[in-house]
């Protein structure tokens, strides 16, 4: 089991993420951290916690998906999770997901749970639902943070496309189309701070549209309409102070 974190100047929050991984009740975890040449003391934090990490590096990269790809090239786990540097895992998160995957048997591509959204210490809401192609072909309708990706999926479909800045996770899972094999576990598996790249900008909706056009999941005019409607809902959630997400 591999967990990958990418970070840029995350000294204020990274140690909480590190601690949450160290506190996991599941025993067989390798933790990899890819730092984008931070200048705020992040490399020094990683050096102090080096005995907890299977791999870490601090060097320039081309964005989050380039960093995740670096981590994937070093990862050795059957399952891979991506955790933000300002996010945390409840202690039983990995154990719950792995147990559910093992109970289902082989052949899964992605195992997901629920994600609790926070602004500081304030809980805003909890997101996450079972995967449904009818929704997924319209927008990123599942909680990606804290989910388990089968390493075999990357071997079949390739790594992340680093030309995406925000929606590379969505594009990656779209490659399997309606044949994506998923499992939903109805427990909170990650606590996520709102305000990340996908919550700050409407650019994510344009990237969703680009990914859908690439994979031909719908007519182009419908992809454009879905992007416009998603932006309307995003603005409404911000006005209601609910945070972004599916």
């Amino acid at each position: 089991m591999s967990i990958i974190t990418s970070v840029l100047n995350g000294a204020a929050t990274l140690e909480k993420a590190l601690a949450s991984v160290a506190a996991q009740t599941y025993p067989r975890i390798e933790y990899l951290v890819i730092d984008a040449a931070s200048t705020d003391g992040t490399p020094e934090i990683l050096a102090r916690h080096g005995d907890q990490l299977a791999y870490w590096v601090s060097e320039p990269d081309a964005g989050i998906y380039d960093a995740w790809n670096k981590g994937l090239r070093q990862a050795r786990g059957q399952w891979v999770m991506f955790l933000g540097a300002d996010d945390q895992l409840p202690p039983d998160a990995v154990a719950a997901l792995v147990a559910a995957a093992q109970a289902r048997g082989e052949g899964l591509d992605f195992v997901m749970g629920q994600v609790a959204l926070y602004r500081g210490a304030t809980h805003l809401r909890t997101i996450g639902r079972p995967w449904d192609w009818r929704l997924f072909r319209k927008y990123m309708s599942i909680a990606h943070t804290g989910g388990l990706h089968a390493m075999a999926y990357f071997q079949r479909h390739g790594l992340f496309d680093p030309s995406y800045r925000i929606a590379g996770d969505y594009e990656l899972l779209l490659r399997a189309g309606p044949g994506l094999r998923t499992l939903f576990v109805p427990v909170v598996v990650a606590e996520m701070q709102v305000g990340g790249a996908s919550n700050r900008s409407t650019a994510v909706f344009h990237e969703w549209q680009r990914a859908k056009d690439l994979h031909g999941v719908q007519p182009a005019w419908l992809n454009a309409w879905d992007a416009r409607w998603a932006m309307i809902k995003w603005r409404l959630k911000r006005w209601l102070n609910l945070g972004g997400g599916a």
Side-chain angles (χ1 to χ4, degrees), residues 110-129:
F110 185 62
V111 183
M112 75 208 89
Q114 297 173 302
V115 176
L117 300 182
Y118 285 83
R119 180 172 287 114
T122 302
H123 177 248
L124 301 177
R125 63 191 182 109
T126 298
I127 63 173
R129 66 180 72 176

Side-chain angles (χ1 to χ4, degrees), residues 205 209 222-233 235:
F205 307 118
Q209 181 179 349
L222 187 53
N223 292 336
W225 164 253
D226 286 343
R228 181 176 293 274
W229 178 237
M231 281 188 275
I232 292 171
K233 292 193 293 183
R235 290 190 174 99

Side-chain angles (χ1 to χ4, degrees), residues 6 18 49 76 84 93 121 131 135 144 175 189 207 219 232 234 239 241:
S6 67
L18 293 168
H49 292 272
R76 297 295 179 264
W131 182 84
L135 291 178
H144 182 261
R175 296 175 195 173
V189 297
E207 289 204 355
I232 292 171
W234 176 82
W239 181 68
N241 200 34

Side-chain angles (χ1 to χ4, degrees), residues 3-36:
I3 299 178
I4 298 173
T5 291
S6 67
V7 59
L8 172 61
N9 292 332
T13 61
L14 179 59
E15 287 192 283
K16 291 182 179 179
L18 293 168
S20 79
V21 174
Q24 290 303 296
T25 58
Y26 186 78
R28 296 182 298 278
I29 295 175
E30 63 166 14
Y31 193 17
L32 306 92
V33 181
I34 313 300
D35 174 55

Side-chain angles (χ1 to χ4, degrees), residues 11-208:
T13 61
L14 179 59
E15 287 192 283
K16 291 182 179 179
L18 293 168
S20 79
V21 174
Q24 290 303 296
T25 58
Y26 186 78
R28 296 182 298 278
I29 295 175
E30 63 166 14
Y31 193 17
L32 306 92
V33 181
I34 313 300
D35 174 55
S38 294
T39 58
D40 68 340
T42 293
E44 289 76 10
I45 291 173
L46 294 173
R48 288 202 305 271
H49 292 272
D51 58 346
Q52 179 188 340
L53 303 174
Y55 176 84
W56 72 273
V57 68
S58 182
E59 63 186 19
D61 59 47
I64 186 172
Y65 300 113
D66 180 41
W68 284 0
N69 285 342
K70 289 182 181 181
L72 283 167
R73 293 185 184 103
Q74 300 294 328
R76 297 295 179 264
Q78 178 183 359
W79 295 99
V80 183
M81 174 188 290
F82 300 93
L83 181 70
D86 56 353
D87 303 331
Q88 299 177 55
L89 301 174
D92 294 327
V94 173
L97 291 173
V98 172
Q102 291 175 339
R104 172 64 68 89
E106 297 182 358
L108 288 169
D109 297 318
F110 185 62
V111 183
M112 75 208 89
Q114 297 173 302
V115 176
L117 300 182
Y118 285 83
R119 180 172 287 114
T122 302
H123 177 248
L124 301 177
R125 63 191 182 109
T126 298
I127 63 173
R129 66 180 72 176
W131 182 84
D132 182 336
W133 173 247
R134 292 170 298 177
L135 291 178
F136 196 71
R137 67 183 179 182
K138 293 180 176 295
Y139 64 96
M140 182 64 165
S141 58
I142 59 174
H144 182 261
T145 301
L148 299 185
H149 304 68
M151 182 62 81
Y153 185 87
F154 295 104
Q155 294 166 351
R156 289 195 307 273
H157 294 283
L159 303 182
F160 292 97
D161 181 347
S163 70
Y164 288 85
R165 308 301 297 175
I166 305 172
D169 47 355
Y170 182 52
E171 188 277 326
L172 176 84
L173 295 176
L174 274 180
R175 296 175 195 173
L180 186 71
R181 297 166 296 186
T182 70
L183 175 65
F184 175 68
V185 183
V187 298
V188 172
V189 297
E191 299 170 355
M192 178 180 177
Q193 288 290 327
V194 301
S198 62
N199 290 312
R200 290 196 302 263
S201 170
T202 59
V204 64
F205 307 118
H206 298 294
E207 289 204 355
W208 287 356

